[in-house]
Amino acid sequence: MRHIWFVVLGLVLGGCGNSGVRDRFGDDASTDGAGGDGVLPDTVFPETDPNLGGPCLDDGQCLRPDIPCASFKCDLTVKRCRATPDDTKCDDGLYCNGQEKCDARVGCVPGAVVDCNKGDTCSIDTCVEETRKCESKVRDADGDGDPTLACADKGGKDCDDTDPTVSSKAKEICGNKKDDDCDGTIDEADCVKPAYSTCDTALVVDKPGTYAVSLVGTARTVPASCASTSEFPRQVVVAVKVPSGDGNRDVNVVANTLGGGRLALASGKACGDGGTETGCVQQPVGTTTVRLKMRDLAPGTYPLYVLSTGEATAELKIDFLVPTPPPTNLGCATALPLLDGTTTTTTASAEIGTSAGTLATACTTAAGPLTYKVQIPTTLGPRDLRVRATAGSAGARTIVGLRDEGCVTLANELRCGQGNPADFFVRALSPGTYYVTVGATTPTDVLIDAGLAAPSTPPATEVCTGAPKLPLDTTVVVDLGLHADDIAATCLGGGGYVPIARDAAYALTLDAPSDLLVVARSSGSDSVGLGLSSASCSAVEFGCSRGYPTRLVKRALPAGEYRVFVESALGAKTSLSSFVRPAATPGPVGADSCKDTAVVIPKEGGLFVGTTADKKSDYDSSCDAPSMPKYGAPEVVYRIDIDKKSRLILDAAGSAYTTTLSVRKGPTCPGVEVENGCAAGYYVDNAFLDLSVDPGTYWIVVDGYSLASGSYRLDVRVAPPAPPLP
């Protein structure tokens, strides 16, 4: 039989070359024939080693360009193809869907979804992508902030988890024959009698002023279209009285809470009758006030309902005003003139109420929008347009949009965005007729400043088309105050929020798979976004980053043409550092301690992958969680020698647990932690250090925050020092 194996081997190898080779990691790789000596290896088979494939004599027979997440070589010790998978090339940047893996036979495969379920009926367990953590909350069906008494061992004290007005945090209400405060007693001596909670006990207001009303112990009895009883279970009734002899009045109401919670305001014609509702507005999340205007009220008494999510105190500022008509410029046909070419600057005030505009828009507007006309005569030529809309209510954001002369459809909207204030700038608009829309996140008065000016010269990085090359392995400072918001893709938005953000674009061309790192640093309190897109910049196909640290990490990014864009909410100066290297093969696991042989990082840096789960705890980190036991979590140690003043960047993105990174300096391990040399990963992928270091020997400790351990990825970059922001 041995001579038959030689014949088979000759046929196999005779048909093998560096091209046209069938898959040696396919399902039949284990029956592909003998090794180079004509004998099938009897100790190693693909079935027992998934990274071992069919027989080979050289590396060319093992190439698998369709599996870019692994490298393939011929292992001459067993005369079989051997794969080296790199899971980092499969990482999609998402945490809750699990850690993707590289399978040498099929490529990237999904990992096990993060399972947060503790199997406890009292625990609501969810995976939160923003924090990359499992979060658990004790069951609270009515959402009143007090978990059910059935989960008393978890701190629950709510004796009726179906009623948001009943909890251990509530006050006992007199006379309702209900244990409101869950103390086991009904209508005890310290019960409260809520004031102004019904139409019969309403607070009468007949003159301007500021009024404080308590919602403690109150309960809803009146429906409201904008505020459900389950979310807003508390209610105070105000009887707004327009005295006879004063004529009709507008009544303007601005409310805010003293002590937390959100409010809603509703008005009507007949108290207690939800069918006579004349207005309803809910305080948006993130704002501090809510406003409602009751228009053109004849002498008489009208109900105003103050609704709350909790037992807060509401402060009401109520004004009686001479009636004014509501805005009529809710659409294109009724647009008011704003700029007409002869008027190059103007200031206008607008009242944005609950009346909804009639125009479809890509930007959500809770109030408005109102519509204004801008005309640029042919005699003027192209003009820069600037519109600044400032809200009069604290916490409110304004939304500004620009539409072409067709105006009415969503396709006519050229762009839109919001800010606080919304500062909208468009460069070199061609002569013609345009429409500007102004809305807000809540009813408010708005001051509009608008102007037309001679066209300014755009920076080279203004748009994606023809964008200059991204400066690599260095740092540039971008003055975004000179830019417009004209790149469609954004990394600052989300959840219906479309910001007005000045942006700049750079071209990135990769000839081979590469690791990319881009770091942006803003000046002042600016918010910065980083994005990686195709050359059109119409969407963020390849990655987004915002917050701190603002860095964009892509490993083994395929060859191709890309755009890197940076955007700023305030148009401030921003530094942009960009680094590209060939896709790195992961380096070795760090040393368990200083007693072991040091693992040295090359002077240019690299990517290092390993686990701390099987290591010992030997060193403390200054940024670890408080009250940790001595030495905290297990860690590994690396050494790097810096020969000149440099920028040392360490990134733990892609690690499977909450890491900490610590940099120490000294000729012997572990050295002394340098100033600002510790970064705590309060959630996965957050540990990041960007340090200016002098020549010397440094020790890098990959540790775990709050005793965490697991698989880590350490990306090390060494670059020239970054210039300071001007």
Side-chain angles (χ1 to χ4, degrees):
M1 291 294 292
R2 188 173 178 85
H3 68 282
I4 297 177
W5 281 115
F6 275 108
V7 172
V8 174
L9 177 64
L11 291 173
V12 170
L13 296 182
C16 291
N18 290 352
S19 62
V21 182
R22 67 185 180 83
D23 182 7
R24 292 174 181 268
F25 283 80
D27 292 338
D28 59 350
S30 61
T31 61
D32 204 21
D37 60 358
V39 180
L40 282 171
D42 56 5
T43 57
V44 184
F45 285 88
E47 289 84 351
T48 58
D49 185 347
N51 295 325
L52 201 63
C56 62
L57 293 177
D58 60 62
D59 293 345
Q61 293 177 304
C62 301
L63 296 179
R64 288 294 306 272
D66 57 318
I67 309 291
C69 66
S71 58
F72 298 86
K73 292 186 178 182
C74 184
D75 186 344
L76 295 178
T77 61
V78 293
K79 297 184 176 63
R80 284 185 178 273
C81 294
R82 184 176 294 280
T84 303
D86 182 358
D87 295 342
T88 65
K89 295 180 179 180
C90 297
D91 190 357
D92 64 0
L94 299 176
Y95 173 73
C96 292
N97 68 354
Q99 185 68 51
E100 293 74 22
K101 302 291 184 182
C102 178
D103 186 317
R105 299 172 187 275
V106 297
C108 292
V109 296
V113 174
V114 175
D115 183 7
C116 296
N117 186 10
K118 296 180 178 179
D120 185 348
T121 57
C122 282
S123 179
I124 306 298
D125 309 310
T126 55
C127 182
V128 182
E129 191 65 47
E130 290 75 14
T131 61
R132 301 199 163 204
K133 283 185 177 180
C134 288
E135 291 188 1
S136 298
K137 295 182 179 179
V138 185
R139 188 173 298 278
D140 179 13
D142 58 12
D144 59 9
D146 189 6
T148 175
L149 185 61
C151 299
D153 59 333
K154 297 280 193 298
K157 299 179 180 179
D158 193 341
C159 55
D160 185 353
D161 206 30
T162 65
D163 186 344
T165 65
V166 173
S167 80
S168 65
K169 299 180 180 181
K171 299 290 186 181
E172 184 72 15
I173 303 173
C174 299
N176 68 353
K177 299 181 181 181
K178 188 164 61 174
D179 184 12
D180 306 280
D181 59 3
C182 292
D183 66 353
T185 305
I186 295 176
D187 296 342
E188 58 265 33
D190 64 349
C191 64
V192 297
K193 295 181 179 180
Y196 318 129
S197 61
T198 66
C199 292
D200 294 333
T201 61
L203 170 67
V204 178
V205 173
D206 59 0
K207 59 184 176 182
T210 300
Y211 303 85
V213 292
S214 173
L215 289 114
V216 172
T218 62
R220 282 285 293 276
T221 59
V222 179
S225 62
C226 68
S228 67
T229 301
S230 59
E231 187 178 7
F232 292 82
R234 307 292 178 178
Q235 164 191 296
V236 160
V237 182
V238 177
V240 176
K241 184 177 181 179
V242 178
S244 59
D246 291 345
N248 290 11
R249 285 291 182 267
D250 285 352
V251 177
N252 189 66
V253 183
V254 177
N256 67 284
T257 59
L258 305 176
R262 289 192 303 127
L263 299 175
L265 299 175
S267 59
K269 295 180 180 178
C271 195
D273 184 357
T276 66
E277 182 182 286
T278 57
C280 191
V281 60
Q282 181 186 129
Q283 180 182 341
V285 175
T287 62
T288 57
T289 62
V290 59
R291 173 191 179 186
L292 177 69
K293 178 172 278 192
M294 304 166 68
R295 289 189 176 278
D296 199 23
L297 299 182
T301 303
Y302 304 87
L304 168 69
Y305 310 109
V306 182
L307 314 174
S308 175
T309 58
E311 292 186 316
T313 295
E315 184 179 73
L316 309 176
K317 186 176 186 303
I318 300 178
D319 289 314
F320 289 72
L321 308 171
V322 174
T324 56
T328 58
N329 54 326
L330 300 178
C332 302
T334 56
L336 295 178
L338 187 66
L339 297 166
D340 61 5
T342 58
T343 303
T344 55
T345 61
T346 188
T347 298
S349 59
E351 178 192 317
I352 299 180
T354 55
S355 299
T358 60
L359 299 177
T361 174
C363 293
T364 301
T365 56
L370 305 179
T371 310
Y372 298 86
K373 183 181 290 188
V374 173
Q375 293 178 306
I376 304 176
T378 304
T379 53
L380 282 182
R383 280 294 181 268
D384 288 354
L385 170 67
R386 184 181 297 276
V387 179
R388 182 182 176 91
T390 306
S393 300
R397 293 193 302 270
T398 45
I399 300 103
V400 176
L402 179 68
R403 311 175 82 90
D404 64 22
E405 62 181 353
C407 186
V408 294
T409 70
L410 184 59
N412 296 122
E413 186 173 63
L414 302 177
R415 66 200 63 178
C416 67
Q418 64 179 261
N420 187 17
D423 195 349
F424 195 79
F425 171 64
V426 184
R427 196 187 311 275
L429 271 176
S430 300
T433 299
Y434 300 90
Y435 294 86
V436 170
T437 57
V438 180
T441 55
T442 188
T444 183
D445 291 329
V446 173
L447 181 66
I448 303 172
D449 295 298
L452 292 170
S456 54
T457 302
T461 55
E462 176 85 343
V463 294
C464 285
T465 303
K469 291 183 178 180
L470 179 70
L472 299 179
D473 302 315
T474 188
T475 299
V476 294
V477 176
V478 187
D479 187 354
L480 289 163
L482 303 175
H483 290 68
D485 179 8
D486 45 17
I487 294 176
T490 178
C491 287
L492 289 178
Y497 170 58
V498 181
I500 294 176
R502 310 298 177 86
D503 40 41
Y506 293 89
L508 172 65
T509 302
L510 299 179
D511 297 325
S514 304
D515 294 343
L516 171 68
L517 171 65
V518 185
V519 181
R521 292 195 177 277
S522 62
S523 54
S525 59
D526 200 3
S527 296
V528 172
L530 278 174
L532 182 65
S533 71
S534 62
S536 67
C537 289
S538 58
V540 188
E541 302 98 331
F542 303 105
C544 240
S545 177
R546 56 181 177 268
Y548 180 84
T550 309
R551 93 267 200 202
L552 187 65
V553 181
K554 298 298 291 184
R555 296 195 176 112
L557 185 65
E561 183 74 20
Y562 301 93
R563 292 294 184 271
V564 173
F565 65 86
V566 57
E567 53 188 343
S568 159
L570 300 181
K573 293 181 179 179
T574 301
S575 71
L576 196 65
S577 305
S578 306
F579 307 96
V580 172
R581 69 182 177 209
T585 299
V589 180
D592 195 353
S593 73
C594 293
K595 297 177 182 178
D596 301 311
T597 302
V599 178
V600 180
I601 296 173
K603 63 179 181 180
E604 68 274 9
L607 177 65
F608 300 86
V609 176
T611 182
T612 62
D614 57 352
K615 301 298 186 287
K616 299 186 296 294
S617 303
D618 298 290
Y619 312 108
D620 287 316
S621 295
S622 65
C623 57
D624 199 2
S627 304
M628 289 293 101
K630 188 173 178 61
Y631 302 143
E635 71 281 302
V636 296
V637 182
Y638 290 90
R639 170 178 173 165
I640 186 168
D641 296 300
I642 304 295
D643 56 9
K644 59 184 177 181
K645 192 172 183 64
S646 300
R647 182 179 183 183
L648 178 62
I649 301 174
L650 309 177
D651 193 354
S655 299
Y657 70 106
T658 49
T659 57
T660 61
L661 296 174
S662 174
V663 174
R664 302 161 177 260
K665 183 179 182 183
T668 59
C669 183
V672 178
E673 192 173 275
V674 302
E675 185 178 1
N676 299 320
C678 192
Y682 301 110
Y683 52 88
V684 176
D685 283 355
N686 188 238
F688 179 81
L689 280 172
D690 188 348
L691 301 172
S692 177
V693 295
D694 294 319
T697 297
Y698 293 85
W699 306 91
I700 298 171
V701 179
V702 182
D703 209 331
Y705 185 74
S706 190
L707 302 179
S709 64
S711 299
Y712 68 86
R713 291 182 175 89
L714 173 65
D715 195 349
V716 181
R717 308 267 183 161
V718 181
L725 280 173

